[in-house]
Amino acid sequence: MLVQRVPDPNRIAVDRKTGKLITADIPYILNPVDLNTIELALQLKEATAAEVVALSIDEPAAEFEMREALAMGCDRALLLADEAFEKADTLAQASLFRTALDRFVKPQVVLAASRSIDHNWSTVGPQLAQLLDWPLLIEAESLELREGRLGGVAHTGAYRARVEAEPPLVVTVARDANRPRTPSSWGVAKAFDEKNVEVKTLRDLGVDPTTRKTFEPKTRLLRVQQQDIKRERRRLEGEPAEVGRLLARRLVDQGWVGRRP
Amino acid sequence: MAIEFTFTPKQQMFQRVVRNYLRLEVWPNVDEDKSGHGTFPKKTIQEMGKLGLLGIPFPKEYGGAGLGEIGYCIFVEEIGRIDASIATIVAAHQSIGTTPVWLFGTEDQRRKYLPGLTDGRHLAAFALTEPTAGSDAASIKTQARREGDYYIVNGRKLWCTNGDQADVIVLTCVTDPALGARGGVTSFILEKGTKGFSIGTIEDKMGIRNSSTAELIFEDCAIPAENVLGRVGEGFIVALTALDGGRTGLAAGSLGGAQTLLETSIDYVRSRRRHGQPLSQEQAVQWRLADMAVEINLTKYATYHTAALVDEYYHLIAGGKHVPDALRDKISMNAATIKVFASEMTARCVESALEIQGGSSIWDRNRVERAWRDHIIAEIYEGTSEIQRLIIARDVLKMGGTY
């Protein structure tokens, strides 16, 4: 299971001059969609007794957020931390994940969030599937193992699709797929007293340090622009029930709540 | 090099997890029941039990999370931010209800009672106060008379938090009226359903309405002699030791309440405009906010400092180690200090919040209106402000100052 920490969205801002996110002194949280991913993985674990491993590429400080995954019930946490990874874009990350998975985990199923809320990139899962040459199930809302095949319900825009494939496979998990569990106090204690975050460097991955260039980004983030949300006032008139319907219609049409049928 | 007080990563994680849980899952359901004696939030308490939030400080070998008094205070502070009734229930359960069994119980008693209390299957309470014994706890009259393998208990206990909900109650009785407080008082572990024990009035209170405050009635109630908690005649040591941790937790709860008052006041003065500018631009308002922040920040340090002391102290006692009197005094002095300061500090914050938010603060269902009714008990239960001052005065007179 691939996870990553993101700056707390309630505290984040964009520097309008440089077009970069201001991340100094901002607390990190686990990517909210990762919480759905972890929940789905743990449900799978409860049904099949599988081992759940959380894997991330980040600075050593991300160990704290990895402990949250352990507190929720993940069995192991692996953190790939090396200066060489700093510039890695999603393609380079997918390649690192492939190496680490092969070396330390050998999984049957890889789960990844369908997107991260910081840049809304949703490419790592699909890129990894491509590199591994495994089938890919996207936007899964639920998963179940039946007669050796992993079936899931994928939610893509206006419709739900039931899909199944034979492991090994890569699954990306839909936002709000489920209600992530709250770690118990026992879980928190265990995450620090009995479990460890295994930190792995370039050397541990067995990657030849001279191939650092592999991690040179092929995509580059140029500029982030904050979206200005303007408040709009409009007066709706009529019978209360009619006004209610109109208001709901408008909110849905403008994409504020719900989904368009 | 600065002296830095910070939570360990484990404590920080616990705080984050608890804060998220309370804000997302509990906060939307903390409406107060204003009819009769309120409604005990059974479902929430059961859910907290399943999340290990009713056994936070206790060692893992008895089913607890092993997060100590600091972990316990982190939880009470966070729950104090959103609901004083639930804070009262979980505090009474863990600090004065369950802690005495851990500290003074025999190994058999610990094995029998602690696992159920720490995993939330059972709820605990603590019964000391009587109709004619409040601050003068030494004048309790409920008597336990030895008869063969049993003690026969007769009398009444008042204002017992969780009393009617509890499965296990730590009960303080007179076993030798001639000896009084020194040697004549004994603690017992009372189980729900024991014959001769019944519930009397459940109080209809102004504040902490969803917590249950019950009268306990004992008519020839036979408690097995093996349920004596600690040594016969040393019931006051059991009670006072539990109250040291209890008071520390209550200070944490007050601290949480005060922070919510500050936060709601900030929200209010940022959005309310008067004479063309937000209220937050007015110096008179800023001073009030600053005073609240000063007291809250200082209380935070003192509370967790005391929690750390209590944690060491409790582990010494539970481990059967010798506890010097000087340490005992120091703990009681610190616990009394933060209990009286934090509860009265919250009272000042309530007053400031009322001043700042004006008429809108006394609307029904406003946080300030409820805090005004909820906070008063903090200056009364587990030893009134006056009792805390007596403890502190006794100590400074003995020491000739503070140390």
Side-chain angles (χ1 to χ4, degrees):
Chain A
M1 192 178 54
L2 315 180
V3 298
Q4 76 168 118
R5 60 175 190 165
V6 295
D8 187 338
N10 297 316
R11 309 276 289 274
I12 206 160
V14 176
D15 187 328
R16 283 176 192 270
K17 274 195 193 128
T18 61
K20 298 236 164 74
L21 295 179
I22 305 169
T23 52
D25 298 327
I26 285 185
Y28 283 86
I29 58 168
L30 274 178
N31 175 31
V33 195
D34 286 351
L35 298 179
N36 300 114
T37 309
I38 294 170
E39 178 59 39
L40 204 56
L42 292 173
Q43 286 174 10
L44 209 55
K45 172 187 168 173
E46 282 154 8
T48 64
E51 188 192 41
V52 177
V53 184
L55 177 62
S56 191
I57 301 172
D58 209 320
E59 294 166 24
E63 185 192 318
F64 185 71
E65 282 71 27
M66 299 297 282
R67 298 260 183 200
E68 191 172 347
L70 291 174
M72 286 178 78
C74 295
D75 300 294
R76 288 170 65 198
L78 280 166
L79 177 61
L80 313 182
D82 196 303
E83 281 176 12
F85 307 154
E86 264 172 30
K87 282 191 200 155
D89 63 3
T90 59
L91 185 58
Q93 286 190 359
S95 150
L96 282 166
F97 280 136
R98 182 182 62 164
T99 311
L101 288 171
D102 182 54
R103 219 175 164 90
F104 307 115
V105 189
K106 300 212 183 299
Q108 283 298 297
V109 182
V110 177
L111 299 178
S114 59
R115 66 199 58 215
S116 72
I117 59 155
D118 52 352
H119 290 117
N120 245 345
W121 279 331
S122 35
T123 45
V124 175
Q127 284 167 333
L128 179 64
Q130 181 76 35
L131 289 173
L132 289 165
D133 198 18
W134 286 4
L136 171 69
L137 167 59
I138 61 161
E139 298 281 348
E141 280 189 329
S142 63
L143 285 176
E144 58 176 349
L145 194 68
R146 218 185 297 159
E147 290 159 13
R149 295 174 76 81
L150 197 65
V153 172
H155 193 160
T156 49
Y159 58 90
R160 284 189 162 83
R162 182 170 287 280
V163 190
E164 65 168 28
E166 206 168 309
L169 82 160
V170 176
V171 180
T172 71
V173 178
R175 183 170 197 163
D176 300 329
N178 47 38
R179 203 169 168 164
R181 66 192 63 190
T182 298
S184 69
S185 68
W186 302 298
V188 172
K190 219 171 173 180
F192 286 85
D193 301 341
E194 293 166 36
K195 295 179 186 171
N196 250 325
V197 176
E198 305 160 47
V199 181
K200 305 288 183 191
T201 61
L202 191 63
R203 187 183 294 268
D204 299 322
L205 286 177
V207 178
D208 180 358
T210 57
T211 61
R212 255 162 208 272
K213 276 215 169 110
T214 322
F215 308 122
E216 286 296 321
K218 293 180 179 57
T219 48
R220 211 162 284 138
L221 176 67
L222 298 178
R223 195 173 172 81
V224 179
Q225 201 172 358
Q226 196 155 17
Q227 193 186 349
D228 289 318
I229 297 171
K230 281 206 184 102
R231 277 182 183 243
E232 197 185 327
R233 262 186 222 187
R234 198 158 298 170
R235 195 178 167 82
L236 302 174
E237 291 188 19
E239 288 297 306
E242 181 55 25
V243 171
R245 262 194 299 277
L246 266 170
L247 177 64
R249 186 77 259 156
R250 243 173 229 280
L251 290 173
V252 171
D253 282 350
Q254 295 182 7
W256 297 113
V257 294
R259 286 188 169 110
R260 263 188 266 198
Chain B
M1 176 79 181
I3 299 176
E4 187 78 50
F5 299 94
T6 47
F7 290 142
T8 63
K10 182 164 63 169
Q11 290 159 350
Q12 287 173 33
M13 178 62 74
F14 182 61
Q15 184 184 46
R16 172 184 286 198
V17 162
V18 160
R19 191 172 286 175
N20 281 344
Y21 163 68
L22 294 177
R23 292 212 169 148
L24 295 175
E25 311 281 339
V26 181
W27 164 235
N29 308 313
V30 292
D31 266 358
E32 198 182 23
D33 178 359
K34 290 197 170 176
S35 61
H37 52 62
T39 306
F40 188 85
K42 207 165 199 140
K43 216 176 124 216
T44 304
I45 298 298
Q46 277 170 350
E47 192 181 77
M48 288 179 169
K50 287 190 184 126
L51 289 172
L53 297 174
L54 297 185
I56 299 162
F58 307 105
K60 288 180 181 173
E61 55 181 311
Y62 301 116
L67 293 169
E69 293 302 307
I70 294 180
Y72 166 68
C73 283
I74 287 173
F75 176 57
V76 181
E77 181 189 338
E78 292 303 322
I79 186 78
R81 279 171 183 263
I82 67 164
D83 190 285
S85 294
I86 300 177
T88 300
I89 295 164
V90 298
H93 163 77
Q94 297 188 72
S95 68
I96 49 179
T98 305
T99 299
V101 180
W102 170 46
L103 296 184
F104 297 100
T106 61
E107 202 49 37
D108 283 347
Q109 287 171 335
R110 289 175 178 178
R111 300 257 165 233
K112 181 173 178 193
Y113 294 106
L114 290 179
L117 293 169
T118 52
D119 74 8
R121 270 174 295 146
H122 297 147
L123 198 67
F126 172 87
L128 176 62
T129 299
E130 295 184 6
T132 56
S135 288
D136 53 341
S139 45
I140 57 169
K141 301 261 185 319
T142 297
Q143 212 179 89
R145 187 167 31 84
R146 177 100 196 212
E147 257 182 39
D149 292 337
Y150 290 88
Y151 280 85
I152 309 300
V153 178
N154 279 288
R156 279 203 301 154
K157 291 288 178 186
L158 221 57
W159 302 335
C160 176
T161 298
N162 298 347
D164 60 320
Q165 302 287 333
D167 303 276
V168 176
I169 299 175
V170 172
L171 174 70
T172 315
C173 300
V174 176
T175 39
D176 188 341
L179 289 174
R182 288 178 192 278
V185 172
T186 303
S187 285
F188 295 89
I189 301 173
L190 168 73
E191 290 182 28
K192 181 170 86 176
T194 303
K195 211 171 153 226
F197 160 48
S198 59
I199 304 294
T201 311
I202 296 172
E203 306 295 342
D204 176 350
K205 309 180 293 294
M206 178 175 83
I208 54 166
R209 292 185 48 81
N210 286 357
S211 75
S212 189
T213 311
E215 177 189 19
L216 314 181
I217 298 167
F218 300 94
E219 291 160 315
D220 289 331
C221 170
I223 300 178
E226 67 202 39
N227 280 23
V228 167
L229 181 60
R231 285 197 210 106
V232 172
E234 294 190 356
F236 260 111
I237 294 181
V238 172
L240 295 179
T241 306
L243 284 167
D244 285 334
R247 288 165 182 164
T248 309
L250 293 182
S254 290
L255 179 61
Q259 288 176 96
T260 295
L261 290 163
L262 175 61
E263 287 160 12
T264 58
S265 297
I266 290 171
D267 287 347
Y268 182 83
V269 299
R270 274 181 176 162
S271 60
R272 169 86 172 98
R273 296 176 71 85
R274 198 175 60 184
H275 307 313
Q277 64 171 8
L279 270 187
S280 59
Q281 297 301 311
E282 306 226 3
Q283 271 195 355
V285 167
Q286 290 178 356
W287 289 339
R288 285 257 182 203
L289 295 176
D291 284 344
M292 290 165 94
V294 165
E295 294 203 304
I296 287 168
N297 277 327
L298 296 179
T299 307
K300 199 173 287 183
Y301 283 115
T303 300
Y304 285 98
H305 169 68
T306 306
L309 288 174
V310 172
D311 193 58
E312 284 174 35
Y313 175 59
Y314 278 181
H315 278 90
L316 282 179
I317 296 172
K321 305 259 171 41
H322 172 68
V323 181
D325 280 349
L327 177 63
R328 205 177 281 278
D329 288 349
K330 183 181 174 181
I331 302 291
S332 295
M333 153 84 166
N334 271 279
T337 302
I338 53 157
K339 200 279 192 175
V340 64
F341 189 80
S343 59
E344 294 185 355
M345 181 271 292
T346 305
R348 289 189 288 276
C349 286
V350 168
E351 196 189 309
S352 287
L354 282 166
E355 285 294 325
I356 291 170
Q357 301 183 42
S360 55
S361 67
I362 54 168
W363 287 344
D364 188 29
R365 296 198 180 273
N366 180 292
R367 298 297 301 262
V368 184
E369 183 267 346
R370 186 164 166 195
W372 187 83
R373 291 183 289 106
D374 278 347
H375 90 276
I376 288 174
I377 189 65
E379 294 175 59
I380 300 171
Y381 58 11
E382 295 194 27
T384 60
S385 287
E386 290 71 25
I387 288 294
Q388 310 306 331
R389 287 193 169 84
L390 285 179
I391 294 169
I392 297 163
R394 187 186 63 198
D395 194 79
V396 294
L397 284 168
K398 188 166 142 195
M399 302 299 293
T402 57
Y403 43 85

